[in-house]
Amino acid sequence: APKVRHLFKEGGGALGAAGSAAWAFQRRGLLRVQGISSDNEALIEAALEAGAQDVEEDSAAHLEADDGPCAAVFCEPNELAAVRATLSARGFEASEAAILFVPSTTAEPAAGLREAAESALLALEEMEDVEGIWHNLAP
C-alpha cells in the first residue's frame, strides 16, 4: 500500500479507505464466450434462460482470440456459476469468468490531464501488489 499511496500523493490525489468509492460502481458477473457463430441467437437464448441480464458482442476479446467472434454475457454476480453451468450444458464454454465493477457514470479528466491519468493507471497495473483496477475514466 505505501507505493500505491505514494503514487496517488504524487498525482495530487489521496487513497481512500477500503470501500469508499463502492457507491460509484455496480457489481456485474461477466462470462466471455469465444468461437460463437456470427448468428449467436442460440447463445442469447441460452444465456437469458439461465438468468443472464445481457449479451453483447465482445470486440476487444475478439481481437485477442483466434477462435472467431466472441460474446460477453453479463449477469448478477451471485448467478455467475449457474449461468456458466447452463451455458456449458448447452455447448457454450466460457473462456473467462469474472466479477466486474462497472462505473455508474464516467468522468472526462480536465484538459491536459488525460495522459497523467492514463499514466497513473499504467503504473498501478505494473505494481505487484495490485490485483485489480476499477476506474470511471471515460474511454
Side-chain angles (χ1 to χ4, degrees), residues 69-132:
C70 302
V73 177
F74 295 99
C75 62
E76 289 291 331
N78 60 341
E79 296 291 326
L80 190 63
V83 173
R84 185 177 197 169
T86 300
L87 290 179
S88 180
R90 300 272 296 267
F92 299 103
E93 293 299 327
S95 61
E96 178 185 350
I99 304 285
L100 304 178
F101 290 87
V102 180
S104 300
T105 61
T106 57
E108 184 64 42
L113 295 181
R114 174 168 284 285
E115 188 175 311
E118 289 174 349
S119 177
L121 289 173
L122 184 59
L124 283 170
E125 286 176 3
E126 293 174 353
M127 290 183 180
E128 274 184 41
D129 296 334
V130 175
E131 293 179 10

Side-chain angles (χ1 to χ4, degrees), residues 31-63:
L31 294 166
R32 282 207 165 88
V33 180
Q34 296 179 331
I36 60 171
S37 66
S38 57
D39 175 25
N40 60 4
E41 289 300 316
L43 171 64
I44 293 170
E45 182 180 315
L48 294 178
E49 285 177 9
Q53 297 169 321
D54 197 9
V55 178
E56 299 175 359
E57 181 180 345
D58 193 348
S59 56
H62 176 61
L63 295 175

